[in-house]
């Protein structure tokens, strides 16, 4: 499910943006933006929001994560059909029906299997809005070693209660968000920590709205600062749980910040 906030501040699509390349990782016609050292044993899977893998800020973040030695893969989970609000014929309900998160999860698992077949030994996954639900599902399996969920689309308490999370998970939310209100994200963190015993970190960023980590405006000084802080949290989490304890790296303990 989604709300109107899931479609606010749409990016300008830029197929050629980023330092990486577009290629097929697992075959099957699923293209992906790939950046970072191709021989790395550590990979991060980006599961985008509804605007897809060509969003420049998403690719910019992917490139940033590679600095820690990760290979980053951001597949085109919508097969060339992201939300395009400039299209006068765009129908939100038709698009949602055509792009369910269950299919996204299956595609993600196929990409993970392909990465492992190429020698990758540890994988983290970051999900943005639409992709947040996909990553929650992945975190309930043995497919990944670390999970980050950023301003997720609408997830119910029951969906969280029904999950047996097996992966350390962090949830980064916005203060202004009717898709995933801060109170609900805090509850998710409490449920996940109590149920799984896994490290769970929930942080709410003040003064920003749903989608800000990849849909910020460069002219919004506070939005940029908050996005950069969130990006640091993402990298820290993956460094801790995908790479293992890193010498001289600041570590995040279990906590819920509001």
């Amino acid at each position: 499910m989604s709300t109107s906030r899931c479609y606010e501040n749409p990016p300008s699509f830029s197929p050629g943006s980023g330092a990486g390349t577009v290629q097929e990782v697992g075959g099957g016609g699923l293209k992906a933006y790939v950046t970072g050292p191709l021989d790395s044993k550590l990979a991060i899977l980006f599961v985008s929001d509804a605007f897809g893998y060509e969003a420049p800020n998403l690719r910019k973040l992917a490139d940033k994560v590679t600095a820690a030695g990760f290979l980053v893969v951001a597949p085109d989970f919508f097969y060339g059909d992201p939300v395009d609000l400039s299209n006068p014929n765009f129908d939100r309900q038709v698009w949602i029906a055509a792009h369910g998160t269950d299919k996204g999860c299956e595609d993600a698992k196929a990409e993970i299997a392909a990465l492992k077949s190429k020698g990758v030994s540890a994988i983290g996954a970051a999900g943005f809005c639409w992709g947040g639900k996909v990553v929650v599902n992945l975190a309930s399996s043995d497919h990944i070693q670390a999970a980050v969920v950023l301003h997720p689309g609408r997830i119910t308490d029951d969906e969280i209660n029904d999950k047996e999370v097996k992966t350390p998970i962090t949830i980064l939310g916005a203060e202004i968000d009717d898709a995933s209100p801060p109170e609900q994200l805090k509850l998710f963190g409490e449920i996940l920590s109590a149920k799984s015993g896994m490290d769970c970190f929930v942080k709410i960023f003040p003064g920003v709205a749903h989608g800000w980590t990849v849909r910020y405006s460069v002219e919004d000084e506070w939005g940029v600062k908050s996005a950069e802080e969130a990006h640091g949290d993402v990298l820290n989490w993956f460094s801790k749980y995908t790479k293992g304890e890193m010498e001289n790296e600041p570590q995040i303990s279990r906590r819920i910040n509001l």
Side-chain angles (χ1 to χ4, degrees):
M1 295 179 67
S2 61
T3 72
S4 60
R5 286 203 182 275
C6 296
Y7 305 97
E8 292 180 350
N9 303 318
S12 297
F13 296 118
S14 182
S17 65
T21 60
V22 174
Q23 55 186 276
E24 286 191 23
V25 174
L30 183 62
K31 295 180 180 180
Y33 176 72
V34 179
T35 183
L38 297 178
D39 60 348
S40 178
K41 301 298 182 183
L42 307 170
I44 306 299
L45 184 75
F46 271 25
V47 189
S48 73
D49 62 17
F51 294 106
Y53 83 136
E54 291 182 353
N57 284 347
L58 180 80
R59 292 188 175 187
K60 185 177 180 180
L61 176 55
D63 292 340
K64 184 186 295 187
V65 171
T66 67
F70 293 108
L71 172 67
V72 183
V73 176
D76 176 17
F77 287 102
F78 308 127
Y79 292 86
D81 183 36
V83 165
D84 182 2
L85 299 181
S86 67
N87 179 359
N89 296 317
F90 174 72
D91 186 310
R92 183 192 303 181
Q93 297 307 317
V94 170
W95 187 90
I96 291 172
H99 300 292
T101 53
D102 287 345
K103 176 64 165 62
C105 192
E106 291 307 310
D107 283 340
K109 290 177 180 178
E111 292 293 280
I112 290 169
L115 287 168
K116 290 182 176 179
S117 74
K118 299 175 187 295
V120 172
S121 57
I123 298 174
F128 307 80
C129 188
W130 181 91
K133 191 168 182 177
V134 173
V135 170
V136 168
N137 287 330
L138 291 175
S140 303
S141 69
D142 296 319
H143 289 84
I144 59 176
Q145 282 65 55
V148 178
V149 176
L150 303 99
H151 39 81
R154 187 162 288 169
I155 301 173
T156 67
D157 295 355
D158 287 342
E159 287 173 317
I160 293 294
N161 268 311
D162 290 343
K163 303 299 180 186
E164 185 179 346
V165 172
K166 303 178 181 179
T167 302
I169 184 170
T170 188
I171 303 173
L172 307 180
E175 179 185 22
I176 308 165
D177 194 345
D178 57 4
S180 293
E183 297 78 11
Q184 185 179 42
L185 296 184
K186 179 182 178 182
L187 177 60
F188 288 172
E190 292 171 349
I191 293 171
L192 290 170
S193 293
K195 281 172 58 67
S196 67
M198 286 290 179
D199 202 355
C200 179
F201 169 48
V202 176
K203 183 175 181 179
I204 305 301
F205 288 75
V208 293
H210 182 87
W212 95 98
T213 63
V214 288
R215 282 186 254 152
Y216 58 86
S217 168
V218 293
E219 298 175 355
D220 178 2
E221 183 177 347
W222 179 253
V224 171
K225 181 179 179 180
S226 295
E228 290 177 345
E229 181 181 344
H231 298 169
D233 290 337
V234 169
L235 187 55
N236 192 20
W237 195 259
F238 285 140
S239 294
K240 181 177 182 181
Y241 288 109
T242 307
K243 297 178 75 171
E245 294 291 336
M246 295 181 65
E247 211 175 343
N248 299 321
E249 283 273 332
Q251 299 299 326
I252 301 173
S253 59
R254 180 180 299 187
R255 53 184 173 160
I256 295 177
N257 283 1
L258 282 179

